[in-house]
Amino acid sequence: MAAELPKKTSTPRLLSREMLKSFTLLPSKFLREKFLSTKKEASPEKSILPRIGPFIDRSETRRKSSTGALKPSSFEVSPPEMVFENIVAHEVYEMALSLMNKDKFPQVVKVSMESSPYFQLMSSNNAYRVVLPGASVPVRVRFTPDESKDYSHEFVCVTARERIVVPIVAIGARAVLDFPAQLDFSKCPVKHSTQQTLLVRNVGNLKARYQLSTQSPFSVVPATGTLGAGETLQVTVTFHPLTKGDHCSLLSCSTGEERIHTKLYGEAVDVNVGLSTNIVHVDTTYITTSTHRTVFIENRSNITAHFQWKAFPTEERENEVKRRLV
């Protein structure tokens, strides 16, 4: 019997509808937006204001255009958007917002909502209300989801001179992978593989089907897989630079609904590996005879150096000569 009682959210937080679209955020910002407390409001630039437009009489066959600028709204909607969070299938939720008359005169407002199997106005649909100056009237909405997924709807407030559309958003279960904001490899030997292992946790409430990708000289394994809610995963990122200098890229993680990025940094440097001499002088010899000299490869670093003798100083030069011969 208790499960049938509506759940009330007295202070819904403000949430931008763009947050429900594909994400291209750093993990820290992504998690901050996803798990913002319902007792805290999002920043003003993140909130969505109701769509306010002039009243249109549908009975007229011809609409008169107005050359003047649109006057400020005489009603204030607080909060400007309804957001139902952490919804559970078949539970009943209720939420309210207020419409305040900022005008100096009483106004008649009509609140209506299109028919929906999930959202319902707690008052009569298309009902007219008289709102005194400075007074406010509540608008309550009941929401009953049949799945733990995202929903969206809206209700409309119409006065004698304007039409206010208030968005309604419901956020269902989703997968959220906790990646670091950046990964720094610092100084690494050129043409040598350096690896770092990340411990990634699914802090959401839905199984994640993830896909990881990055660009050379970085690589990542595993590239695809699934991770249940609350489970952890080891991800190995490899840095294998072929040239000296600074390298940077992005480690992209896509779960189908959201996309987040981790910044990758690395600096490729030469290590102390070289030849015992830069010039080899071979003694004079005769036809059918041979002579030789010995050159040492000296490795004074703490890594294993793999070497190969080639006729060209760089791989780019070698490829250029090969293309020319072809």
Side-chain angles (χ1 to χ4, degrees), residues 22-276:
S22 178
F23 279 82
T24 310
L25 301 176
L26 293 179
S28 56
K29 184 177 181 181
F30 174 63
L31 292 176
R32 185 169 62 251
E33 297 289 358
K34 279 293 178 184
F35 297 105
L36 188 64
S37 171
T38 56
K39 296 182 180 179
K40 299 179 181 179
E41 294 184 351
S43 56
E45 63 272 13
K46 295 293 181 185
S47 60
I48 285 185
L49 296 179
R51 301 194 304 273
I52 302 175
F55 172 72
I56 301 175
D57 190 351
R58 299 297 182 182
S59 63
E60 296 181 0
T61 57
R62 182 178 299 177
R63 179 183 173 186
K64 296 181 181 180
S65 61
S66 175
T67 56
L70 185 66
K71 296 181 180 180
S73 173
S74 59
F75 270 87
E76 178 179 328
V77 183
S78 178
E81 184 181 28
M82 275 190 172
V83 180
F84 295 89
E85 298 179 281
N86 301 322
I87 62 175
V88 179
H90 308 298
E91 293 282 355
V92 181
Y93 301 85
E94 283 187 12
M95 189 176 297
L97 55 72
S98 62
L99 299 173
M100 187 177 71
N101 184 5
K102 301 189 298 181
D103 205 349
K104 298 180 180 179
F105 305 96
Q107 292 200 65
V108 178
V109 59
K110 181 180 74 171
V111 180
S112 62
M113 176 188 293
E114 291 187 5
S115 178
S116 168
Y118 314 111
F119 298 93
Q120 178 186 3
L121 280 175
M122 298 305 296
S123 59
S124 300
N125 201 14
N126 293 319
Y128 289 88
R129 309 182 189 183
V130 178
V131 186
L132 299 177
S136 61
V137 293
V139 178
R140 300 191 66 85
V141 173
R142 174 170 290 179
F143 171 52
T144 309
D146 59 2
E147 295 181 62
S148 183
K149 64 177 185 179
D150 294 344
Y151 294 84
S152 64
H153 202 50
E154 61 188 21
F155 67 87
V156 181
C157 305
V158 179
T159 67
R161 70 179 189 184
E162 61 191 358
R163 183 174 184 270
I164 306 173
V165 180
V166 181
I168 307 174
V169 176
I171 303 175
R174 63 200 336 108
V176 182
L177 300 185
D178 185 14
F179 274 86
Q182 66 180 28
L183 186 61
D184 193 350
F185 283 84
S186 189
K187 294 183 178 181
C188 300
V190 67
K191 298 183 180 181
H192 178 78
S193 294
T194 305
Q195 295 181 338
Q196 288 198 32
T197 300
L198 304 178
L199 193 62
V200 179
R201 183 170 180 262
N202 183 359
V203 296
N205 47 12
L206 186 68
K207 178 188 290 186
R209 292 177 174 84
Y210 63 87
Q211 182 173 357
L212 305 177
S213 61
T214 186
Q215 294 180 342
S216 179
F218 300 94
S219 61
V220 58
V221 291
T224 58
T226 59
L227 187 63
E231 295 181 353
T232 57
L233 169 73
Q234 283 190 345
V235 175
T236 301
V237 182
T238 302
F239 178 43
H240 187 87
L242 299 179
T243 57
K244 293 192 302 180
D246 295 331
H247 299 270
C248 61
S249 184
L250 291 175
L251 174 61
S252 176
C253 174
S254 173
T255 59
E257 295 179 347
E258 290 89 18
R259 180 181 294 272
I260 55 177
H261 295 292
T262 295
K263 295 180 180 179
L264 302 178
Y265 300 97
E267 181 183 357
V269 297
D270 283 332
V271 294
N272 196 1
V273 178
L275 301 175
S276 58

